[in-house]
Amino acid sequence: MKIIIENARVDEAESLVDVYRDAYEENEKLGLPASAPKVSIQEFNIG
C-alpha cells in the first residue's frame, strides 16, 4: 500500500478540524486528557 500525504488547502480547514476533533473525542470520553478535540480552525495554520 502506498500512502501519499499532501498539504491541506485553506478551503479544507473546517473539514479537517471536524476529523481532528472526532479522532480524539473517544479518548477524551475514556478520561484521557487531550486538548485536540478543542482545536480551532485558526490553530491549523493552513496556508
Side-chain angles (χ1 to χ4, degrees):
M1 172 176 40
K2 183 176 181 179
I3 298 174
I4 299 173
I5 299 174
E6 298 178 4
N7 289 331
R9 297 184 320 264
V10 173
D11 64 325
E12 298 172 315
E14 190 171 336
S15 295
L16 288 170
V17 168
D18 290 339
V19 170
Y20 197 69
R21 286 179 181 152
D22 288 345
Y24 289 94
E25 187 175 12
E26 191 63 32
N27 286 345
E28 191 174 60
K29 287 178 186 177
L30 295 171
L32 300 171
S35 61
K38 298 167 187 69
V39 69
S40 69
I41 291 173
Q42 291 76 24
E43 290 176 280
F44 263 85
N45 195 22
I46 297 172

